[in-house]
Every structure is written in structure tokens, then in C-alpha cells.
């Protein structure tokens, strides 16, 4: 267990970069979607890229398990804070046309965590392959 705590600490700075990136993408894309009348969902590939890249770099520094855990936490952040940012900035999104009950929030959080964990696993797997193919000094 102490080793896991150590790997969590090693991955934390990269996770913070992920939090900042998600916040920035949610904010900018919300404004762009409203101003230019573009569906907010058009920008999902940017977020998905973050969900793959952040675990990739975390996995390079730590291990696959830590990378997937941090990816799931990024998903929870995006489903809560990110969604709130999008609503406050009035992003053009059809998903926001229904009542946000606690059940909807819980579903959104759990499903985003699962999607992000899967994308994070792909990023961590890519890092593992990268490590294997990289020539050793």
C-alpha cells in the first residue's frame, strides 16, 4: 500500500495538468459553441484526447493502474465541475435540455468515470508499448 501511495504522488502533478486542461477546454469550447452556434458535442474529441494523453504520461512516470485511476478521476471532475462550467457559460448542448436530478448527475459521473477509465487504459497501454519499443541506454 505505501508503494501505491508513492505512485499516486508521482502522478499528481500530471493529473493537475489534466484538471487544468479539462477546465480550459470546457470553458473555451462552451463559449465557442454558444457564440458560433456549434453543438458542444463537436468538441468531445478534444476531451477524449486529454483522457488518453494524461494517463499516457502518468503511466510513463508510474504504472498502468495509477494512470487508469487518475483517468477515472478526470472523468468525475469533468462530469461535475466541467458540466457546471458548460452550463454556466451556456454551451449549446442538447443534453442540457432536461432536468438535472441527482440520479442524472450520478449516472453522468459513473458513466464518465467508466469511459475515461477505458480511454485512460488505452493511454496507459500505449505508454507500456512505447516503453517496450524504446531503446534502452
Amino acid at each position: 500500500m505505501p508503494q501505491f501511495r508513492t505512485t499516486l504522488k508521482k502522478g499528481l502533478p500530471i493529473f493537475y495538468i489534466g484538471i487544468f486542461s479539462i477546465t480550459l477546454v470546457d470553458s473555451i469550447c462552451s463559449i465557442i459553441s454558444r457564440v458560433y452556434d456549434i453543438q458542444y458535442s463537436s468538441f468531445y474529441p478534444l476531451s477524449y484526447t486529454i483522457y488518453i494523453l494524461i494517463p499516457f504520461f502518468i503511466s510513463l512516470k508510474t504504472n498502468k493502474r495509477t494512470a487508469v485511476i487518475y483517468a477515472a478521476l478526470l472523468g468525475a471532475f469533468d462530469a461535475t465541475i466541467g458540466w457546471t462550467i458548460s452550463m454556466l457559460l451556456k454551451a449549446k448542448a442538447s443534453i442540457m435540455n432536461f432536468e438535472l436530478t441527482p440520479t442524472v448527475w450520478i449516472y453522468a459521473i459513473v458513466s464518465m468515470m467508466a469511459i475515461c477509465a477505458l480511454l485512460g487504459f488505452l493511454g496507459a497501454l500505449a505508454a507500456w508499448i512505447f516503453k517496450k519499443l524504446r531503446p534502452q541506454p
Side-chain angles (χ1 to χ4, degrees), residues 28-75:
I28 292 171
C29 293
S30 294
I31 294 168
I32 291 172
S33 76
R34 180 174 35 86
V35 170
Y36 293 104
D37 199 31
I38 301 170
Q39 275 296 319
Y40 182 71
S41 60
S42 302
F43 300 106
Y44 286 174
L46 291 173
S47 295
Y48 291 169
T49 302
I50 294 168
Y51 301 139
I52 293 170
L53 284 177
I54 294 299
F56 174 86
F57 288 111
I58 289 173
S59 185
L60 286 178
K61 196 168 186 175
T62 62
N63 56 46
K64 289 187 290 268
R65 182 174 80 169
T66 303
V68 171
I69 289 169
Y70 275 129
L73 291 174
L74 277 176

Side-chain angles (χ1 to χ4, degrees), residues 26-28 30-31 34 84-92:
D26 284 342
S27 301
I28 292 171
S30 294
I31 294 168
R34 180 174 35 86
T84 302
I85 289 169
S86 299
M87 288 188 314
L88 291 173
L89 294 175
K90 297 178 179 22
K92 182 181 181 200

Side-chain angles (χ1 to χ4, degrees), residues 57-116:
F57 288 111
I58 289 173
S59 185
L60 286 178
K61 196 168 186 175
T62 62
N63 56 46
K64 289 187 290 268
R65 182 174 80 169
T66 303
V68 171
I69 289 169
Y70 275 129
L73 291 174
L74 277 176
F77 176 83
D78 200 10
T80 54
I81 306 301
W83 200 354
T84 302
I85 289 169
S86 299
M87 288 188 314
L88 291 173
L89 294 175
K90 297 178 179 22
K92 182 181 181 200
S94 57
I95 196 168
M96 295 186 198
N97 293 335
F98 59 89
E99 183 181 354
L100 295 174
T101 63
T103 304
V104 171
W105 276 103
I106 291 169
Y107 176 78
I109 294 166
V110 171
S111 61
M112 276 301 292
M113 288 180 77
I115 290 167
C116 292

